Amino acid sequence: MTGARYRHGLVIGKFYPPHAGHLALVRHALARCDRVTVQVLTSSAESLPGELRARWLREELPTAHVVHGVDDAPVDYADPAAWDAHVAVMRGLLDAPVDAVATSDAYGAELARRLGATWLQADPGRRAVPVSGTAVRADPAGHWWALPASVRAWYVRRVVVLGAESTGTTTLAEDLTALLGLPTVAEFGREWSAERPGGLEAPWHTAEFDLVAREQARREDDAARRTPVPLLVCDTDVLATTVWHERYVGTPSPTVRALAATRVPDLYLLTGDEIPFVQDGMRDGEHVRHAMQDRFRAVLAEQEAAGGAPWVELRGDRATRLAHAEALVRPLLATPRPLADPLPQANGDVVHLGGVPVRVVDGRAVAAAAGPGTRAGDTAAAVPVAAAGRVPHSDA
């Protein structure tokens, strides 16, 4: 281990999605370099936008310079032409030469050689932070510990409970949240109704519903970053706010509707209006409840027909509703949010060190083909990658 410092370090990756191993690698580079560029290299086959991945990394690593670009070249570590194509993309994204390259995997030796830089290897074999993008994509819940808050929020399956007044919406949301051990996402609109200037009798304004919608969305997003599992149950949402705007203002709100269109959950649970009406001093009254319930049904059907979330109306007593809701929600918790497969990789255990192909075995390089008097893959001939002498290397 050396204490040398470098002017400009480079970290590359798909970051599909970013995880604790990526963050540790970049921090390793930041500790050794005055400046670090992180390149998010995406392919057209992937379904998570590069700018979104870059934004997540900027949030976690504010002192790094994060950029993104498209790299659709075939991934073949044994093909010099593929190397040329990939390095050309990387050079095109750099605003200054680099003198250090940080990787965990052994391909960093060849990448550093091609860029005229020193290789800073971090956590070879990923023993300190045992996680990979492949593992996260296959089982995000099992690797929840390794995901930054912003990535967790993206993976979270969102269930919204809504309905007309006095239909048991809050009761079901609270029961389901408690059953599953989730953070609470309470209805802000009710809180605003209790404290708004002029009280319940004052005329309602569109600006109030904009406020309610934005705060409801903020609470939902905050809880999504904190939930211990990739699931969230919300007591109402922005779509419900569009319905209440119609009720109190008399017309649809373009701004609230626009926000709702960007926040489609995975499932809507509509609480039924067959139970007795209870006046708590803040509700309109039973005379409008059934009409409002019909409006909720219509809005939910419209958004589902337009490609939105499925919805189910739950009826019955408290226990029956909870059991039905749990049966609908559990499969969402067990089904990861899907991501398209990245480009396939060829010869992922082969690296070129100055044009000499070597095969990586447990973080060490062995001859890719048998030499005179040597058996192919003979571990007795194994030498550390760093000892190949093809590129300046530091194990710091």
Side-chain angles (χ1 to χ4, degrees), residues 18-373:
H19 54 65
H22 295 135
L23 302 184
L25 175 61
V26 177
R27 288 171 181 142
H28 175 81
L30 287 168
R32 299 292 305 278
C33 303
D34 297 333
R35 178 174 182 243
V36 172
T37 293
V38 179
Q39 294 185 352
V40 180
L41 303 176
T42 67
S43 79
S44 302
E46 297 161 0
S47 54
L48 196 59
E51 177 52 40
L52 179 59
R53 291 179 244 177
R55 187 164 71 243
W56 287 341
L57 288 169
R58 291 184 192 112
E59 178 180 333
E60 296 294 323
L61 304 160
T63 59
H65 175 55
V66 182
V67 298
H68 73 95
V70 176
D71 184 356
D72 280 330
V75 182
D76 187 343
Y77 292 93
D79 182 359
W83 270 102
D84 290 343
H86 293 299
V87 172
V89 172
M90 297 173 202
R91 289 187 185 277
L93 292 172
L94 288 173
D95 60 4
V98 297
D99 57 351
V101 170
T103 72
S104 173
D105 297 332
Y107 73 80
E110 175 64 4
L111 179 57
R113 186 191 70 83
R114 284 171 172 263
L115 293 174
T118 296
W119 178 33
L120 305 177
Q121 189 176 28
D123 192 16
R126 302 179 186 178
R127 293 180 176 86
V129 188
V131 65
S132 69
T134 301
V136 170
R137 291 191 298 274
D139 182 16
H143 298 85
W144 209 238
W145 61 270
L147 300 183
S150 55
V151 180
R152 291 186 182 187
W154 183 87
Y155 265 114
V156 165
R157 297 285 199 172
R158 305 190 188 206
V159 177
V160 176
V161 185
L162 42 62
E165 291 180 327
S166 192
T167 58
T169 299
T170 296
T171 297
L172 178 58
E174 290 178 348
D175 287 350
L176 197 52
T177 292
L179 176 68
L180 299 170
L182 308 176
T184 298
V185 185
E187 180 186 6
F188 175 66
R190 183 173 178 83
E191 297 174 24
W192 177 252
S193 297
E195 63 188 30
R196 64 187 293 264
L200 294 175
E201 302 304 319
W204 286 82
H205 303 284
T206 293
E208 293 182 83
F209 289 90
D210 286 331
L211 168 66
V212 169
R214 290 195 302 270
E215 175 59 16
Q216 193 67 47
R218 188 201 65 78
R219 291 184 175 196
E220 182 180 324
D221 290 344
D222 177 68
R225 297 168 72 93
R226 295 183 288 107
T227 181
V229 295
L231 182 69
L232 203 60
V233 174
C234 308
D235 181 359
T236 202
D237 75 340
V238 178
L239 182 66
T241 306
T242 69
V243 178
W244 293 114
H245 184 279
E246 291 178 10
R247 166 74 181 96
Y248 291 111
V249 179
T251 59
S253 166
T255 53
V256 178
R257 278 184 146 184
L259 181 59
T262 67
R263 305 186 59 81
V264 179
D266 294 276
L267 175 66
Y268 279 113
L269 300 177
L270 178 66
T271 47
D273 59 348
E274 83 288 359
I275 61 177
F277 182 88
V278 177
Q279 179 56 264
D280 63 359
M282 294 185 63
R283 291 169 174 159
D284 285 342
E286 189 169 11
H287 65 289
V288 298
R289 182 171 67 148
H290 297 303
M292 286 299 297
Q293 188 75 354
D294 286 341
R295 183 58 184 148
F296 272 107
R297 293 186 184 109
V299 168
L300 289 172
E302 288 168 6
Q303 65 85 36
E304 183 180 20
W311 66 282
V312 178
E313 185 166 354
L314 304 182
R315 305 172 77 85
D317 61 20
R318 183 173 180 174
T320 299
R321 291 182 176 199
L322 179 60
H324 191 185
E326 182 184 6
L328 292 167
V329 168
R330 289 284 186 188
L332 284 176
L333 182 57
T335 307
R337 194 173 295 285
L339 285 175
D341 291 335
L343 292 175
Q345 296 189 16
N347 298 302
D349 59 347
V350 173
V351 295
H352 277 246
L353 301 178
V356 179
V358 295
R359 191 168 300 278
V360 178
V361 178
D362 195 26
R364 296 163 67 82
V366 299

